[in-house]
Amino acid sequence: MTAEVLARIGGPVAAAGFAALLLAHPRAYRLGGLAAVGIGVGLMLPILTPSGTSPWLLGGGVIVAAVAVGLAWLFERQPWALAMLALVTVPARIPIPVGGEKNNLLVPLYAVVLGAAVSLGWSLWGDAARARELGALSWPLAAFVGWTGLSVAWTIDPDRGALELVAFVMPFGLLAVALARLRWSEIGVTWLARLLFAMALLFAAVGIFQWATHSVFWNQKVIADNTFASFYRVNSLFWDPSIYGRFLVVAILVALAVLLFGPWRQYDLWLCLLIVVLWVGLFFSFSQSSFASLIVGVVVAGVLGWRRHAFVVVGATAALLMLVGVGPPLRATDSPSLSAAADTEINRATRGRFELVRNGLRIAADHPVVGVGVGGFTKAYRERVPVSNRVKTPASHNTPVTVAAETGIVGLGLFAWLLVMAFVVPFRRTGSGPPAVRVAGVAAGLGLTAIFVHSLFYNAFVEDPLMWGFLALATLAARESATDRSATSR
C-alpha cells in the first residue's frame, strides 16, 4: 500500500484508539486503545518521512525509545516530574523536514510524551480501577478527536492531515490523559506555578533585551519585517512573537488567579511586580492576538473575583490595554507589503486576516457537512484563491473557521461541545474547595480562555500543549474539589 493509503487508514485507527482510551472501563480495552494510537501513528509516519532518511530515523527511534523508558521509570517514581518536564519543553521547537517542508516541531516534548505513554501503559496494567480521568471532558474530547481523526479518510491533503494528528492531537491528547491521572498534590501544583513564573520571567527579560538591542533570534521573517516596520517586534526564545506573547499572557493570568483567589497575601507584592515585568515583555511582542486574549482574561478574572463591582475597574483596565498594547500595531498596518493588497480598512487593521477568514467561511459553506478533511484548509484555499506573495501558507488564523472548513458542521458542533465543557469544568465552583484547588481551577479556566481567544486570531488551539495541560489541571482541581466536599459532608 502507498503511504497515502496507510495515512488514511492510520488516522481513524489512532482516533478510535484514543476514544477507547478515554471512555472504556475494562483494562484490556484501554490498553488496546493505547496500542491502537501507537499503530495509527505508525501508519501515518511514512507519508511524513522524507526519502533517504530511514537509517537516521531508525537510529533516532532507538535513542528516543531508550529515553522514553528512562523517563517512564522517572515518572513512576516522581509522578509530578511529568508535569514539570512537559512545561519546561513546551517552548522548545526544532525545525524538522516533514511532509516535504520544514516544520517547527516540539521534539523535546515528544520525548516526554513517549515516556508518559510508556508510564501510562504500566499504570493501566497495574491499576484497572481508574477510568475516564478527564471526567466530564471525556465524551466531548473523544468525539471531537475521533471525528477529526476520521476525517483523514477524506481529507484533500493527507500530508498535512497526518502531520496535524501525529505532531499535535495524538501526543498532546496522551499527555492530557497522563497528567489527569496524577494524584492531587498542592506541593506539585505550587512548584509547577513557580516554574511557569520563572520561565515567563526569563522569556520576558530576553524579549526586553532584544528590543533594547534590536537583536531578534532565529526568525528571518521577523527580522525582515522589523526593517520596514515603525515598531520593533521581538520573539524572545520562541520562533514566533505571537507564541511568545501567548505564553506571557498565560503566566500573567495564572499570577492574577493567585492574587484574586489565593489567601497568600505575603506574595502579593512579588506577584504584582512579576505581572508588571511580564506585561512589559508582552508589550514588545506587539502581538494583537496576545493583547486581545489578555484583555478578555482580565475581564473574566475580574468578574469572577469581584462580580458586579469589577466592571468599572476591569473595563478601564481593558481599555488601557487595548489603547497601549494593540494600538501601535494597528497604526502601523499601512506598511507597503500590506496596504497594496488590503482592500478594506478592516482587512488592513487585521493584517489581511479578514480576507483569510472570509474565504475560509466560503470553503466551509461549500463543504458544509464533513468539510475538506483535517489539514485540508491550505490546499482548499489555494485552489479557490490566487494567493499573493504576502500569504505564503494561507491559513484562516481562526480556529472555529478552520474547524468548520476542515470537519464541517459536525466537527464544529463537537468543537463547541468541547469548548463549553472546557469552561464549565474549571469555572463551575470557583468559590468552593481548599484555596490551592480553587486557584488551580480558576488558573486553568483563565488559561483556556486566553488560548481560545488567541486562537480566534492565530488558529492554534489544539496545537498548543498548554491547552491540553489546562484541561488536565481543570479536571484534577474539579476531582479534588468533589472529594473535599464529600469528605466535609460526612
Side-chain angles (χ1 to χ4, degrees), residues 19 40 65 72 116 127 137 154 161 177 219 249 273 291 296 303 333 336 343 349 351 353 407 478 481:
D127 183 6
L137 294 169
W154 64 79
V177 175
N219 195 324
V249 168
L273 291 174
F291 269 96
V296 175
V303 171
T333 52
D343 55 358
R351 298 186 174 186
R353 289 182 175 132
T407 60
S481 180

Side-chain angles (χ1 to χ4, degrees), residues 141-478:
L141 190 58
F144 176 68
V145 171
W147 180 255
T148 301
L150 183 62
S151 72
V152 174
W154 64 79
T155 181
I156 64 174
D157 193 343
D159 295 70
R160 286 185 179 272
L163 179 63
E164 179 73 10
L165 290 181
V166 171
F168 303 109
V169 177
M170 291 304 155
F172 300 162
L174 289 178
L175 179 63
V177 175
L179 290 172
R181 286 180 67 85
L182 294 175
R183 302 289 185 183
W184 172 263
S185 168
E186 184 173 338
I187 295 176
V189 172
T190 300
W191 278 104
L192 194 63
R194 289 172 177 170
L195 178 60
L196 174 67
F197 295 153
M199 291 173 62
L201 192 60
L202 170 64
F203 297 146
V206 173
I208 294 170
F209 170 80
Q210 287 179 326
W211 180 84
T213 60
H214 280 205
S215 55
V216 169
F217 306 149
W218 304 312
N219 195 324
Q220 293 301 318
K221 183 179 182 302
V222 174
I223 294 173
D225 289 345
N226 283 336
T227 304
F228 301 102
S230 58
F231 57 95
Y232 195 88
R233 299 189 74 187
V234 302
N235 60 352
S236 187
L237 299 179
F238 294 77
W239 177 261
D240 192 302
S242 290
I243 302 299
Y244 159 58
R246 183 175 64 195
F247 191 94
L248 293 190
V249 168
V250 166
I252 289 173
L253 292 177
V254 171
L256 194 59
V258 177
L259 275 172
L260 294 181
F261 295 90
W264 310 288
R265 300 279 70 87
Q266 67 270 27
Y267 299 118
D268 284 2
L269 176 60
W270 294 107
L271 287 169
C272 289
L273 291 174
L274 172 69
I275 290 173
V276 169
V277 174
L278 297 187
W279 188 90
V280 174
L282 171 64
F283 177 81
F284 294 127
S285 73
F286 290 104
S287 170
Q288 294 167 278
S289 52
S290 297
F291 269 96
S293 61
L294 178 61
I295 291 166
V296 175
V298 169
V299 170
V300 172
V303 171
L304 290 173
W306 297 308
R307 308 296 175 183
R308 295 180 181 178
H309 304 290
F311 283 112
V312 174
V313 175
V314 170
T317 303
L320 177 62
L321 288 172
M322 178 67 75
L323 177 64
V324 177
V326 187
L330 286 177
R331 289 192 295 272
T333 52
D334 9 288
S335 63
S337 61
L338 295 178
S339 60
D343 55 358
T344 62
E345 288 296 325
I346 188 171
N347 203 44
R348 282 197 296 270
T350 58
R351 298 186 174 186
R353 289 182 175 132
F354 176 76
E355 179 185 348
L356 292 168
V357 169
R358 181 175 58 189
N359 284 303
L361 291 173
R362 290 172 178 168
I363 294 172
D366 289 344
H367 306 82
V369 181
V370 298
V372 296
V374 61
F377 184 93
T378 297
K379 187 173 182 179
Y381 193 100
R382 289 188 180 277
E383 291 175 351
R384 168 181 288 273
V385 182
V387 179
S388 64
N389 292 332
R390 68 185 177 89
V391 185
K392 292 182 174 58
T393 305
S396 73
H397 287 280
N398 182 290
T399 292
V401 172
T402 303
V403 170
E406 294 186 346
T407 60
I409 191 66
V410 177
L412 186 61
L414 295 175
F415 180 68
W417 182 19
L418 174 60
L419 275 181
V420 169
M421 296 309 300
F423 293 125
V424 167
V425 170
F427 289 143
R428 182 164 45 192
R429 297 184 180 91
T430 56
S432 61
V437 175
R438 185 170 65 247
V439 170
V442 174
L446 293 178
L448 288 167
T449 299
I451 293 171
F452 172 67
V453 173
H454 193 274
S455 76
L456 297 179
F457 307 94
Y458 196 81
N459 183 33
F461 189 72
V462 299
E463 294 83 2
D464 188 346
L466 287 177
M467 188 279 294
W468 299 85
F470 281 129
L471 290 182
L473 180 61
T475 305
L476 280 174

Side-chain angles (χ1 to χ4, degrees), residues 21 24-25 27 30 76 79-80 82 116-117 119-134 174-184 472-473 475-476 479:
L21 179 63
H25 283 279
R27 175 176 58 187
R30 301 198 72 197
E76 285 295 303
W80 277 87
L82 169 60
S119 176
L120 179 60
W122 287 347
S123 180
L124 289 174
W125 184 264
D127 183 6
R130 285 194 289 167
R132 297 193 182 178
E133 293 85 355
L134 287 166
L174 289 178
L175 179 63
V177 175
L179 290 172
R181 286 180 67 85
L182 294 175
R183 302 289 185 183
W184 172 263
L473 180 61
T475 305
L476 280 174
R479 188 164 62 234

